[in-house]
Amino acid sequence: MDNGTCYIFGAGEKTSCTIDLESKDLVIAADGGYDYLVDLGLRADVVLGDFDSVTSPELWEDSICEKYTYPPEKDDTDMMLAIKLGLSRGYLDFAIYGGLGGRLDHTIANIQALTYLAKEGAAGILYGEAYALTVISNGSFTIPKDATGTVSVFSLSDRSENVTIKGLQYEIDGAVLTNSFPLGVSNETTGKKGVIHVTSGTLLILWHPGNEITE
């Protein structure tokens, strides 16, 4: 069954985007991500976090949505809490905004969160102003043909084996990438779909989706 998309908004960099929500989509504001939703004029189905960064609490306090408050001292980041909630409700397609920029440690944490999603059999894309990021594990990903500019592929595992890249300027077939040498940096789009596949391993993929991201 198609549960739609789980949209998560964090308190990081705000991205110019157009998002058309459907009723089956789940929209989660992770702490200060609620401010992001207010700016976009989008609904929030769930607001959660320790609320150390939200600047419009009076708005969500009066809104009709689920609210979950957590203590600041916790193992999960607010973004991970949102991801786990989405997974618990059966969502396998995640679009994450406001997860880049700002604190570098949180950016790295959000990339690890993409890895968590991949390991759970879900697909997540982290959207920023300049790049979109995803992580695949023993699988494939397609760069859309209207993407422009640079595409980079990095191994997050010690070894990523049987890596194939087709449709980009530099193609490879059955290569090995490691997490100690950036062989996959700075590939280029060609106006065709780019297909990236790894048989055994985990890859981080970065690409430029264009000036405006439309969901």
Side-chain angles (χ1 to χ4, degrees):
M1 183 178 69
D2 180 11
N3 282 340
T5 300
C6 179
Y7 290 91
I8 301 175
F9 291 81
E13 170 187 86
K14 294 181 180 179
T15 302
S16 301
C17 57
T18 301
I19 300 172
D20 296 321
L21 295 176
E22 299 183 10
S23 58
K24 60 185 176 181
D25 296 331
L26 177 66
V27 183
I28 305 175
D31 204 309
Y34 186 76
D35 295 329
Y36 197 166
L37 283 173
V38 171
D39 290 345
L40 292 174
L42 297 177
R43 74 173 192 262
D45 298 316
V46 179
V47 181
L48 57 76
D50 53 30
F51 302 116
D52 62 350
S53 60
V54 66
T55 61
S56 305
E58 71 283 355
L59 296 177
W60 63 258
E61 285 172 355
D62 294 332
S63 66
I64 303 174
C65 63
E66 300 175 53
K67 308 174 187 72
Y68 302 101
T69 302
Y70 297 86
E73 297 80 14
K74 58 187 185 302
D75 292 334
D76 288 327
T77 63
D78 294 330
M79 188 67 75
M80 276 300 299
L81 290 171
I83 284 172
K84 288 182 176 180
L85 178 62
L87 287 171
S88 73
R89 298 192 179 183
Y91 287 85
L92 296 176
D93 183 22
F94 288 74
I96 304 171
Y97 295 83
L100 298 173
R103 286 175 52 179
L104 178 59
D105 55 347
H106 277 290
T107 294
I108 295 172
N110 291 334
I111 291 172
Q112 288 191 321
L114 291 178
T115 306
Y116 179 86
L117 281 170
K119 298 290 187 180
E120 291 293 315
I125 298 178
L126 183 58
Y127 290 104
E129 189 63 34
Y131 279 98
L133 295 76
T134 194
V135 170
I136 60 173
S137 184
N138 304 346
S140 300
F141 183 77
T142 299
I143 303 292
K145 65 180 180 180
D146 57 352
T148 59
T150 302
V151 178
S152 292
V153 181
F154 302 96
S155 178
L156 296 182
S157 49
D158 288 343
R159 288 173 59 88
S160 292
E161 299 182 345
N162 194 25
V163 177
T164 300
I165 299 175
K166 300 294 183 183
L168 300 180
Q169 182 175 350
Y170 305 106
E171 297 188 331
I172 58 175
D173 188 8
V176 174
L177 299 184
T178 71
N179 60 5
S180 59
F181 188 76
L183 181 63
V185 71
S186 296
N187 209 327
E188 294 286 338
T189 56
T190 62
K192 300 186 295 184
K193 291 190 296 184
V195 180
I196 301 165
H197 173 80
V198 58
T199 298
S200 177
T202 301
L203 299 177
L204 170 65
I205 303 168
L206 296 80
W207 74 100
H208 193 298
N211 292 327
E212 183 172 281
I213 299 168
T214 300
E215 282 282 345

